[in-house]
Amino acid sequence: MTASETIRFRVVTRARFLRLSEAEQRVVLDELYRTNLARLIRALRFCDREAIRLYRATSNLFPLCDEPVGEQVIDALAPELGQVGPLAEKLGIRVVAHPDQFVVLSSETPRVVATSVHIMRRHARVFDLLGLPRSPWSCLILHGGKTGRSDELAQAIESLPEAIRRRLVLENDERAYSAQEILNVCRHTGVPMVFDVHHHVIKEGLPDFEHPSIAEMLDAARETWPDPAWQLVHLSNGHDGIADPRHSEMITVYPSAFARVPWIEVEAKGKEKAIAELRRIWPGAR
């Protein structure tokens, strides 16, 4: 989505969906999927006009596409969906996704793990249908999940289907998994690491974005990527100060070490406005 009304995606609630007959469900989903596909293409073209080369697709792009009717509808749209990947490649835009917080591969509850894998299968299948590569270039970004279960997380990763496993990357967070802990899991499993500097600062109680551990962790995370030129990091500011986990509207503070990062995903409520402002205040930012 954009901060303006330029790009918005449609949704349908499960409650409403289940009240419909099967024929009605098919009509509703077909219209919704076609609309969101058109808006996804519009979003890529918007990014191209704004010289934004990284786009995070919404995790609810095709709602209920893992329901029987949803699977039938989205399969029927496969030829149209498959145009997205080639378009993104032509425009030079990298497409990624960040599945929601309910995906916990390291959960103590087998049902939660099974549900998490199911959700990840859905995301991977959508990326396949969109014609996006099975590689960390088109990554699916996850947090570590349940604290203190690094071994279980690694085991879950190793058993994932190829369509998920080849796209999976892990990100540190401010509560459960520090940057070092996620780095260890990434090294063990061969999964790339997305270094989130804001999470790192909060987790370690650092005073600013210039602590030596930031540059050190940045370099260590780069080594986990199959191609260092694909390294992706997250940049955000706290709403009410550096220790606030809530994202601010704009980015006003950034680590100098990020000047040598090839891909920065800006996490700010201001979205494209925040990117424009960051470019204005950060000499040399592209």
Side-chain angles (χ1 to χ4, degrees):
M1 298 189 299
T2 53
S4 69
E5 292 296 318
T6 307
I7 304 296
R8 286 289 184 270
F9 291 94
R10 289 180 53 195
V11 297
V12 62
T13 65
R14 180 175 292 274
R16 181 198 166 202
F17 177 79
L18 294 177
R19 286 197 298 268
L20 303 174
S21 68
E22 183 174 322
E24 290 171 328
Q25 290 175 350
R26 191 180 304 277
V27 170
V28 166
L29 291 186
D30 182 75
E31 180 184 3
L32 190 153
Y33 292 176
R34 289 180 185 276
T35 298
N36 280 0
L37 173 59
R39 293 180 183 183
L40 174 60
I41 291 172
R42 187 192 309 167
L44 293 178
R45 296 196 181 282
F46 173 86
C47 287
D48 184 49
R49 290 195 302 273
E50 297 293 318
I52 296 171
R53 298 302 165 197
L54 178 69
Y55 181 72
R56 180 192 287 186
T58 173
S59 60
N60 204 25
L61 186 61
F62 301 114
L64 303 165
C65 67
D66 50 354
E67 294 286 335
V69 173
E71 288 185 351
Q72 294 169 18
V73 173
I74 203 167
D75 282 346
L77 291 175
E80 292 94 330
L81 294 169
Q83 298 173 17
V84 171
L87 175 63
E89 183 177 10
K90 177 183 177 182
L91 297 177
I93 297 173
R94 182 178 183 179
V95 180
V96 303
H98 199 326
D100 61 40
Q101 69 271 22
F102 302 110
V103 178
V104 183
L105 295 176
S106 57
S107 174
E108 296 174 341
T109 307
R111 179 180 57 81
V112 173
V113 175
T115 300
S116 298
V117 173
H118 175 80
I119 293 171
M120 292 298 289
R121 283 182 184 272
R122 184 183 73 217
H123 283 287
R125 185 165 183 268
V126 166
F127 268 33
D128 280 346
L129 288 168
L130 292 174
L132 297 169
R134 286 187 175 185
S135 76
W137 174 262
S138 293
C139 53
L140 299 175
I141 306 166
L142 284 186
H143 290 292
K146 182 69 175 177
T147 306
R149 290 177 62 82
S150 296
D151 291 343
E152 289 78 7
L153 175 60
Q155 291 168 10
I157 289 171
E158 290 169 355
S159 64
L160 289 172
E162 179 186 8
I164 304 171
R165 180 69 174 74
R166 289 177 60 179
R167 293 185 174 106
L168 182 67
V169 303
L170 295 178
E171 174 191 355
N172 58 296
D173 65 85
E174 74 273 19
R175 295 185 303 274
Y177 283 87
S178 69
Q180 185 62 56
E181 288 170 320
I182 280 296
L183 175 64
N184 292 341
V185 175
C186 289
R187 285 171 168 169
H188 179 68
T189 59
V191 170
M193 174 184 172
V194 169
F195 176 51
D196 188 305
V197 67
H198 187 209
H199 291 327
H200 177 65
V201 165
I202 295 173
K203 178 72 172 176
E204 304 300 334
L206 304 182
D208 53 45
F209 281 164
E210 296 306 318
H211 191 272
S213 67
I214 292 172
E216 293 168 2
M217 191 55 61
L218 179 65
D219 291 340
R222 180 177 294 120
E223 295 176 359
T224 66
W225 288 83
D227 184 341
W230 290 3
Q231 184 186 21
L232 174 64
V233 299
H234 282 175
L235 175 60
S236 60
N237 286 175
H239 186 275
D240 290 326
I242 196 165
D244 188 345
R246 297 173 300 167
H247 290 169
S248 61
E249 191 75 15
M250 297 290 177
I251 303 294
T252 58
V253 184
Y254 48 87
S256 59
F258 274 20
R260 50 192 172 86
V261 176
W263 294 91
I264 300 175
E265 185 172 1
V266 175
E267 297 185 314
K269 293 181 180 179
K271 300 179 174 66
E272 75 278 9
K273 294 179 180 178
I275 292 173
E277 177 63 11
L278 182 59
R279 283 172 166 161
R280 187 187 71 80
I281 67 172
W282 192 352
R286 292 179 289 126

